[in-house]
Amino acid sequence: MEFSDEILLHILSYVPCTDLVLNVRKTCRKLATLCLDKSLTHTVLLQKDYKVNKDKVKQLMRDIGKEIYQLNMAGCYWLPSSTIDHVIRCKNLVKLNLSGCHITSLRLSKMLSALQHLRSLAIDVNPGFDASQLSSECKATLSRVSELKQTLYTPSYGVVPCCTSLEKLLLYFEILDRSREGFMLSGQLMVGESNVPHYQNLRVFYARLAPGYVNQEVVRLYLAVLSDRTPENLHAFLISAPGSFAETGATKNLLDSMARNVRLDALQLPKAWINGSGLLQHLKFNNPFYFSFSRCTLSGGHLIQRVINGGKDLKSLTSLNLSGCVHCLAPESLFRKAEDDIDSSILESLVVSCCNLRHLNLSAAHHHSSDSIGNHLCQLLSRLKHLLSLALPVCSITDVAANVEKPPTQPNAAPQTFGKKVRVGIQTYPRNLTDQANQKIESSVFWTLMGSLRFLETLEIIGSSFSSAMPRNEPAIRNSLPPCVRAQSVGDSEVAAISQLTYLQSLTLAQLPNIITGSGLVSIGLQCQHLRTLSLANLGMMGKVVYMSALMDMLKHCKCLRDLRLEQPYFSAGAQFFQALSHCSSLQRLCIVSRSGTLQSDAVMSFMASCLEVVMCHMFMGESLTVCRNLQQSIVRSFQADRPALNVVIFPLLHEDLTEVIRDVPMRHLDEITLFKSRVAEEPPNLWW
């Protein structure tokens, strides 16, 4: 308490605002004054404050409502819709994020009518939304909003037609093709919907589509106005669409207009709009900071010539997504096989031109380096000293010489199948870093890469043929493709190399075939003390979880771990596993996906009782529906009262009703952990707050 006010304010900035206002300020007069300082009350973040409830929000708004200028309640799915009524007290709000919150048209109208200073808004549009219920005062507020993020669960323009001053528009399309009753939905908008969004001042247009044709139909309606008149100030145009999203006459007119009239700083288009077209040759760029060519057939020659201007300076580019772009490191794609070696000169041009890259995604492709000295992909990437997040395919990190000299699998490794289980003796693995150093040849290209990227915060190493068993809008995937031949030698030593990343916060490892004991995981647990998110999928042989012992040792050291996702056939979630997991005192979300996997109900209940921060427990295993339902009900009954945000889904992975269960999972959990995907450079940095 003898510190200066400046130091105390800095310390208090790490405390959740609800805790400051409702608890800390009651301790003494000095803290009572400091806790109400404008630097602490100006921005209130409730988006992951899982302990907040309706009463706390009410008291918070009553005490400091007039001092709040930015309020983020994104993903507070557990709060009743009546909680929104208390936001009216925040008369000076400039930014408001209610994505994932329950809100009706009438409540939205009443709230916005009182927020005359609002300039940034994020909301969900659910079935039953009716724009005609919005009052004139509400529409007046919306007319001044310059930034809008809208998540659509029903075909609608939402509040877009009311926002006549839009400069940034973010649209997330989550409309299902079928209703709960099984009826096919239409992409046509409701009768009475205005079809004249106002885009004349638009600078940023972003649309992310979930799978389904209805989402494509609705986004075309939003784009129709853009195709008539392209905003002169447009500098970021991004559409993220899975699967096939065909180009139409209207979208072609839009792209032609953009090529003539605007200079872009950020670009992402559906693959069908880029493949086979000369679009990139005509688009003009100013100081680009984000490019995504995910799943496009763009060749490396086109990438260098049309995007990087023949290797010219592109220091402004900070984020690049080439996920699934199988020919992006080859001079041409016409006669090339996906497994052929890359052209290192193309990657070198990319590294030299884009030397300030902070986020790079090269996953979902076979990027095989040749045996020429100094030109390995890992050696070239080690020059990117500013990287904060990186996604690579497993086959890209293997040493070419080692891959030739070593057999594809270790003598005691089982084949990559779901066939008869192979009995394996008890594995041993090094218990300390010295032993591992002795086993690891530290001159490998991947070890060197990890040593050169000391400030990396997010790393994804994903098999180029990996696909998760967890579905989105379709049944669970029952068979997986075998790993790439080049990836067969990637295992424990490569995982151990990751332990050099002292500041690592998020790690994803998927389809590493040569994991024998998982010894590298222990190194990561010991060295990467900032690790918050861990996702492991299909490591080692598929008939047995060979790394279980090492995983349990690792978890005992992960004191900061908040999110854990495990996807592995035959995973046994028993007492020993949950006892080890109980050491992760900060854990908030757990997801286990396992075909033929088993769980021990008593162990799960004991784990939930000991880990008080856990608010999400998703398990999709091989147990019967009765076992799953009984356990789910027991957890909810025992812990829901003390954990208002608790979300529990325990269900058989291969059950025919799994997709119906998935649709009820809060979008925050579904998008961030339950569904497997590469998240590096998925969106432009700082797209929203």
Side-chain angles (χ1 to χ4, degrees), residues 35-70:
C35 286
L36 297 181
D37 188 86
K38 289 184 178 180
S39 65
L40 300 178
T41 60
H42 178 276
T43 300
V44 175
L45 307 177
L46 303 179
Q47 78 273 27
K48 287 197 174 180
D49 189 351
Y50 294 117
K51 294 182 179 180
V52 73
N53 55 34
K54 178 184 176 181
D55 293 334
K56 288 183 179 180
V57 174
K58 180 180 179 180
Q59 187 63 43
L60 186 70
M61 301 305 166
R62 181 181 297 170
D63 291 353
I64 63 167
K66 294 181 180 179
E67 309 300 323
I68 302 175
Y69 288 82
Q70 300 184 19

Side-chain angles (χ1 to χ4, degrees), residues 247 256 259 273-283 302 306:
E247 188 179 27
D256 289 342
W273 298 15
I274 294 181
N275 293 347
S277 73
L279 173 66
L280 293 178
Q281 191 171 359
H282 303 292
L283 285 176
H302 289 163
R306 300 177 182 177

Side-chain angles (χ1 to χ4, degrees), residues 131-152:
S132 66
Q133 294 180 337
L134 303 180
S135 67
S136 57
E137 293 84 0
C138 170
K139 291 179 179 178
T141 296
L142 288 170
S143 69
R144 295 185 288 270
V145 168
S146 59
E147 298 180 356
L148 176 66
K149 177 183 177 183
Q150 194 169 253
T151 304
L152 295 152

Side-chain angles (χ1 to χ4, degrees), residues 206-222:
Y206 175 87
R208 193 186 80 175
L209 285 67
Y213 76 95
V214 174
N215 290 314
Q216 296 184 9
E217 286 187 18
V218 178
V219 78
R220 291 189 194 281
L221 297 175
Y222 279 83

Side-chain angles (χ1 to χ4, degrees), residues 385-396:
K385 302 299 183 182
H386 300 288
L387 276 181
L388 296 177
S389 64
L390 176 65
L392 294 174
V394 175
C395 55
S396 72

Side-chain angles (χ1 to χ4, degrees), residues 108 133 179 240 263 298 312 338 351 360 373 428 438 509 584:
L108 180 67
Q133 294 180 337
S179 67
S240 173
R263 300 182 72 88
L298 183 72
K312 293 181 181 178
V351 168
L360 176 61
I373 299 175
T428 60
N438 292 335
L509 300 174
C584 302

Side-chain angles (χ1 to χ4, degrees), residues 618-630:
H618 291 179
M619 296 186 189
F620 306 95
M621 314 283 279
E623 299 286 1
S624 68
L625 183 60
T626 301
V627 170
C628 293
R629 281 181 174 171
N630 289 341

